[in-house]
Amino acid sequence: MISVEMEDVLAVLQLCKPYIIGIVAALVIGIVIMIACRRMSKEKRFLVRGEAAIAMLLAVVICVSMICFGPMATLIGLATGSGTISNETNEEAAGVAEEIMEDGIVLLKNESLLPLNETKKLNIFGWESINPAYGGAGSGGINGLYDIVSLNQGLENAGFSINQELVDFYNNYGADNPEMSIQKQSWTLPEPPVDTYSDKLIKNAKDYSDVAVVVLSRKAGEGHNDIPMDVSKAAYDNNSDEYDDFPEGEHYLQLSQTERDMVDMVCSNFNNVIVIYNGANQFELGFTNEYPQIKSVVWCPGTGNVGFNALGKVFSGEVNPSGKTPDTFVYDMTTAPWWNNAEKTEYTNLADMAVEGMNAGTAQVYAPAFTNYVEDIYVGYKYYETAAQEGAIDYDKTVQYPFGYGLSYTEFEQKMGELEEKDGQISVDVEVTNTGDEAGKDVVEVYYNPPQK
């Protein structure tokens, strides 16, 4: 069933505004002409008014047609059924989406645990395993119009069996995310405290399989406030009355206390642990180096409707991961140069240039603003590489996973040929050889340092 969101309706009306103004203007002009010709002879008055009426009708028809084939086209198509996607097209799109996810999953750490060639039973820990991030919000969100493959289903579709007792435990704890909307913000992570795990539950899990998977997830997106840099000042409900999940000064892209306790518990009972980080933002993953039991770390960002099938294929080895990090994972984000400079600041001398706009159907004023990039041109990975060369940071102690990083189940060798320049175009050939025993693919990364002038 397709629901109607008033925010979408108001947004479409805003797009229709120029056409509506055109209709009103045509009607006003037509009425003025009809009134102005009242002193003419009967024959001329009839002719002028008739032509004015035809002109008004024509203007209305043209503007309405432009609305129907423009801003309202999608809504009309969905309402009439003509916008329905065929099963064949839907299946084709799902296949492409799954393939994109196969290439997008990044293997960050692997100590000979993945792929799981022999183990087919898995214990999945973490409340987010039953409510992972499928996408972002706003334009980056997904809907229930089509089948959604959950994280557990994706693993099961690849031939794995999931400890149902743990699944039931998390479902009974609470199967729904706290409300996160434009009107209400809640960053709560409803992770069960460790004292809610019974001894029997853990014993049965150890009997079920010697492999444990810990799922961590973070959600944010369009229309929501920025991710809290101090969760204690955000809308967040603790999971226990005995401690704060995030003490004052701790941010959202690090482990909560409840998550830390859960990781401790899992690593105390299992020697083969896989951590799945499911989120679009980089995350402080330094804790994965503190536990020898954590053999593998997989970054699986928002998957869309079917992308968790790709995760299952990566676990089974049907797909050899080839994704690379599009950002830099650092051990401590609070040491990053952007940490205290990320706030949007409005130009106080440009208030007269503010413009009116719409945000979720609500009128809003937008003024010129800036964010202070203290790194100057060395933003992103370029800062860390340059700062390390100049001795400003210890690279190995600062960066955990660099930009462009990602492991594979096989090994590759890359040989770069000579650079060629012709007609202002630079080209280079790179020979990639799979030197391992498994089929796979690799990413060729070309970094170019242009001359100053």
Side-chain angles (χ1 to χ4, degrees):
M1 179 179 178
I2 301 175
S3 61
V4 176
E5 295 287 344
M6 283 307 299
E7 296 168 3
D8 295 333
V9 173
L10 292 172
V12 171
L13 289 177
Q14 282 295 313
L15 294 174
C16 295
K17 189 175 180 179
Y19 305 103
I20 296 174
I21 292 174
I23 293 174
V24 172
L27 294 175
V28 169
I29 293 172
I31 293 172
V32 169
I33 292 174
M34 287 182 176
I35 295 174
C37 70
R38 69 183 184 279
R39 296 183 182 277
M40 294 181 180
S41 62
K42 184 178 180 180
E43 292 79 9
K44 288 185 178 181
R45 187 169 64 248
F46 179 79
L47 178 62
V48 171
R49 287 181 174 176
E51 290 180 346
I54 293 173
M56 286 191 294
L57 179 62
L58 185 61
V60 171
V61 170
I62 292 174
C63 288
V64 171
S65 299
M66 293 176 70
I67 290 174
C68 292
F69 289 99
M72 294 287 290
T74 301
L75 291 179
I76 293 173
L78 291 173
T80 59
S82 61
T84 303
I85 299 174
S86 67
N87 290 334
E88 182 180 358
T89 300
N90 188 37
E91 291 175 3
E92 182 180 353
V96 173
E98 188 173 319
E99 184 178 354
I100 290 172
M101 200 62 211
E102 291 173 2
D103 291 345
I105 292 175
V106 184
L107 183 62
L108 297 173
K109 176 181 179 180
N110 194 32
E111 297 177 357
S112 302
L113 181 55
L114 288 174
L116 298 170
N117 295 318
E118 298 179 2
T119 303
K120 291 301 178 183
K121 291 184 176 182
L122 299 174
N123 294 299
I124 311 295
F125 287 89
W127 181 85
E128 296 285 4
S129 64
I130 64 165
N131 214 319
Y134 295 95
S139 303
I142 65 170
N143 55 50
L145 294 176
Y146 308 102
D147 293 337
I148 296 176
V149 177
S150 69
L151 188 150
N152 288 337
Q153 287 172 335
L155 293 171
E156 289 173 338
N157 291 341
F160 294 97
S161 299
I162 308 299
N163 184 343
Q164 188 61 41
E165 190 176 8
L166 279 173
V167 175
D168 294 339
F169 169 73
Y170 290 116
N171 277 319
N172 291 333
Y173 187 78
D176 296 323
N177 268 325
E179 184 178 348
M180 173 69 86
S181 65
I182 294 173
Q183 291 75 27
K184 180 179 179 181
Q185 305 290 314
S186 177
W187 299 97
T188 298
L189 302 169
E191 190 69 48
V194 292
D195 58 13
T196 60
Y197 294 81
S198 66
D199 293 339
K200 180 181 179 182
L201 180 66
I202 298 302
K203 180 182 182 302
N204 289 346
K206 293 168 71 173
D207 292 340
Y208 185 82
S209 175
D210 62 348
V211 176
V213 180
V214 173
V215 179
L216 303 169
S217 182
R218 292 295 187 270
K219 301 176 180 69
E222 178 187 5
H224 303 315
N225 294 331
D226 291 335
I227 289 176
M229 300 175 80
D230 186 347
V231 184
S232 66
K233 297 179 181 179
Y236 186 93
D237 296 323
N238 287 309
N239 291 294
S240 174
D241 295 331
E242 299 179 3
Y243 59 84
D244 291 330
D245 271 326
F246 293 95
E248 185 175 355
E250 293 197 350
H251 59 85
Y252 200 60
L253 296 176
Q254 64 183 97
L255 284 180
S256 70
Q257 185 59 56
T258 304
E259 289 173 331
R260 168 69 76 168
D261 294 342
M262 185 260 292
V263 172
D264 283 339
M265 177 193 68
V266 171
C267 291
S268 297
N269 288 280
F270 298 89
N271 290 323
N272 296 309
V273 179
I274 302 168
V275 170
I276 297 175
Y277 170 54
N278 164 237
N281 302 83
Q282 66 267 53
F283 192 80
E284 288 186 3
L285 291 170
F287 73 92
T288 60
N289 295 337
E290 301 172 13
Y291 300 91
Q293 297 90 343
I294 297 178
K295 303 294 199 306
S296 301
V297 179
V298 177
W299 184 18
C300 180
T303 60
N305 294 62
V306 298
F308 279 120
N309 280 330
L311 179 67
K313 293 178 180 179
V314 167
F315 267 49
S316 69
E318 181 180 345
V319 168
N320 192 337
S322 60
K324 307 294 180 182
T325 53
D327 211 330
T328 304
F329 281 67
V330 295
Y331 288 104
D332 183 0
M333 290 188 187
T334 63
T335 64
W338 48 263
W339 183 259
N340 294 304
N341 297 278
E343 184 176 349
K344 185 184 76 169
T345 305
E346 293 187 358
Y347 288 100
T348 57
N349 62 333
L350 296 178
D352 60 320
M353 297 184 65
V355 297
E356 293 184 355
M358 297 293 293
N359 182 15
T362 303
Q364 187 168 328
V365 176
Y366 295 92
F370 69 93
T371 299
N372 185 15
Y373 284 84
V374 293
E375 311 98 309
D376 196 37
I377 64 172
Y378 301 102
V379 294
Y381 78 91
K382 296 183 289 293
Y383 164 76
Y384 296 100
E385 306 295 331
T386 307
Q389 288 181 2
E390 297 182 355
I393 64 170
D394 185 323
Y395 192 87
D396 292 335
K397 292 182 179 179
T398 303
V399 176
Q400 184 175 14
Y401 301 118
F403 174 93
Y405 176 84
L407 302 176
S408 170
Y409 295 151
T410 186
E411 299 290 334
F412 292 94
E413 182 182 85
Q414 296 187 5
K415 292 183 179 179
M416 179 174 167
E418 293 293 325
L419 283 172
E420 295 183 1
E421 188 274 330
K422 183 178 181 181
D423 299 329
Q425 299 291 321
I426 297 176
S427 61
V428 61
D429 289 331
V430 180
E431 182 180 306
V432 182
T433 305
N434 186 342
T435 60
D437 299 325
E438 303 293 334
K441 50 185 168 182
D442 202 15
V443 176
V444 174
E445 302 175 36
V446 179
Y447 295 84
Y448 171 54
N449 188 15
Q452 292 292 321
K453 296 182 180 179

